[in-house]
Amino acid sequence: MPFKPSLLALCTGTLIAGLSTVAIAQQTPMDTLQNDAPNNWGKWGEDDQVGALNYLGEEQVKNGAGTIKSGKTFTLQIPMTSGSGPVFPGRVPTQHFMATDAGVYMAGKAEPAPGGMKYSDDVAFMYLQGTTHVDGLAHAWYGNQIYGGKGEETSVHGHTHADVGEIGEKGIVGRAVLLDVGRHMGSDDLHRLPTDTCINLEDLEATAEAQGTTINKRDILVIRTGSIARFWEEEPDEEWNAMNEPGLCHSNELLSWLDEMETPMIATDNIAVEKVVQEIDGQTYIIPLHGALMRDMGVVLSEIWWLDDLAADSAEDGQYSFMLVAAPLKVEQGTGSPVNPVAIK
């Protein structure tokens, strides 16, 4: 006898629910690439949602506070300008509108409140990753499993696992080090890397050595390429393009080092932390480090930081370590969230 539609729907729903728990892995080129790479699934429990941020405890907060010498502060978010800003292809910049302003009073469409007070109000439409932002660990994956081995269907209509709201709840506080690769490897005048530059582990270590910077376990890595400033320049040395910005490149050596250093987060002044398009062993990959770092290792990524002012000050006083305080908005089930990090020296 054929299934009744209601019974068929029930069976289908049961199957989907079962797959959500089991999350049978689909094989992709990323699986081959990551075959011998570090994986932190289950390290902090089966239901962990903040990954390597678990490395940031009370000792790391005190280590961060111990770097403060002058009390100087730097905010590291780019401006949120309506209709303009560097974004990943497919996204649009923030759209900002006034809902109420002096115009409604001048046009006679509203009266001041009793006592004479007037007010303004505004609204924005934006991609939550359309400015300086933090990614939730479920933001990017390969196959059909996200961070922790949960099924990709947990992202449908909002993330029910490893959303950015969990990171907002924990907050990000610790000792950070600026690695100004743009100044170390880039041009003498602009201190920025050429487009399409691949940054590898040796470059990070050489930059730290040139700066006299010690990278400790559980330090937050803040990497400057110098690239993002091209977006606002009328006559840049090279045209800004999200797809050819300089950035980190995938290697097992880099991943193993980050794992050994127990790196909780990587923040950069480019659009994707990594070089967006990478050729590895004859295979083209788009953002492979997003899969390796967020999905597999639970390392939090944060992008589109403004680092030029901090970098200039660090080059002048020689201090490249600082206390970093950042908290994305508590967007429940969100993929990402704007953030305005603060560096305290």
Side-chain angles (χ1 to χ4, degrees):
M1 185 177 79
F3 282 118
K4 294 181 179 180
S6 58
L7 181 58
L8 178 59
L10 176 62
C11 293
T12 303
T14 303
L15 176 61
I16 291 174
L19 288 175
S20 176
T21 303
V22 177
I24 302 170
Q26 297 172 343
Q27 293 298 304
T28 70
M30 278 295 300
D31 289 283
T32 302
L33 184 66
Q34 288 294 105
N35 186 48
D36 297 320
N39 187 298
N40 286 330
W41 291 2
K43 183 170 186 174
W44 299 284
E46 292 184 3
D47 295 322
D48 172 63
Q49 302 192 63
V50 298
L53 286 187
N54 283 291
Y55 289 133
L56 294 179
E58 294 176 355
E59 284 302 312
Q60 284 66 50
V61 173
K62 290 188 286 186
N63 290 341
T67 65
I68 299 175
K69 297 178 180 179
S70 66
K72 289 184 289 187
T73 61
F74 298 83
T75 57
L76 306 178
Q77 184 188 17
I78 65 167
M80 291 176 62
T81 305
S82 185
S84 177
V87 293
F88 199 82
R91 298 173 183 157
V92 296
T94 300
Q95 307 294 309
H96 175 245
F97 308 96
M98 296 304 296
T100 301
D101 56 28
V104 299
Y105 302 106
M106 296 167 65
K109 294 185 177 181
E111 296 294 330
M117 291 300 299
K118 303 176 184 179
Y119 72 96
S120 62
D121 215 346
D122 52 0
V123 64
F125 168 83
M126 67 176 300
Y127 277 79
L128 294 178
Q129 289 148 308
T131 181
T132 307
H133 65 272
V134 174
D135 292 330
L137 290 179
H139 165 53
W141 67 95
Y142 58 89
N144 61 350
Q145 293 174 293
I146 64 169
Y147 170 70
K150 305 296 184 181
E152 64 180 354
E153 63 275 6
T154 59
S155 71
V156 176
H157 302 308
H159 294 281
T160 57
H161 178 75
D163 69 322
V164 75
E166 294 290 335
I167 297 175
E169 183 67 32
K170 177 173 176 54
I172 303 163
V173 183
R175 181 182 188 267
V177 292
L178 172 66
L179 297 176
D180 192 352
V181 185
R183 187 174 299 269
H184 175 62
M185 295 176 51
S187 58
D188 292 335
D189 53 346
L190 298 174
H191 308 300
R192 66 178 58 152
L193 296 176
T195 56
D196 278 318
T197 298
C198 186
I199 302 171
N200 55 40
L201 175 58
E202 290 75 17
D203 299 327
L204 298 181
E205 292 177 325
T207 298
E209 183 178 359
Q211 294 176 174
T213 302
T214 299
I215 304 174
N216 298 327
K217 275 194 171 186
R218 304 192 177 188
D219 279 350
I220 298 164
L221 300 185
V222 180
I223 301 171
R224 178 184 174 274
T225 69
S227 172
I228 203 74
R230 293 185 173 109
F231 177 84
W232 290 279
E233 294 175 351
E234 292 185 6
E235 297 182 1
D237 58 318
E238 295 184 79
E239 199 68 29
W240 184 88
N241 186 314
M243 300 301 288
N244 67 9
E245 275 197 300
L248 292 175
C249 278
H250 182 287
S251 73
N252 282 342
E253 293 77 15
L254 174 64
L255 297 177
S256 295
W257 180 77
L258 292 170
D259 191 47
E260 292 168 5
M261 296 300 291
E262 298 181 343
T263 301
M265 184 175 89
I266 302 173
T268 61
D269 65 346
N270 60 7
I271 207 80
V273 171
E274 60 186 304
K275 193 169 176 289
V276 173
V277 183
Q278 299 182 41
E279 296 290 331
I280 306 172
D281 297 330
Q283 170 78 43
T284 299
Y285 292 86
I286 304 295
I287 58 171
L289 281 176
H290 274 60
L293 293 173
M294 288 198 295
R295 176 195 185 269
D296 293 347
M297 295 172 60
V299 176
V300 171
L301 302 184
S302 188
E303 296 140 335
I304 322 182
W305 287 32
W306 179 254
L307 297 175
D308 283 15
D309 297 330
L310 175 63
D313 188 77
S314 296
E316 183 176 342
D317 67 12
Q319 181 185 346
Y320 287 86
S321 61
F322 52 92
M323 184 175 192
L324 180 71
V325 179
L329 304 178
K330 297 181 182 180
V331 184
E332 293 187 355
Q333 300 192 353
T335 290
S337 164
V339 68
N340 184 15
V342 179
I344 309 169
K345 295 179 66 176

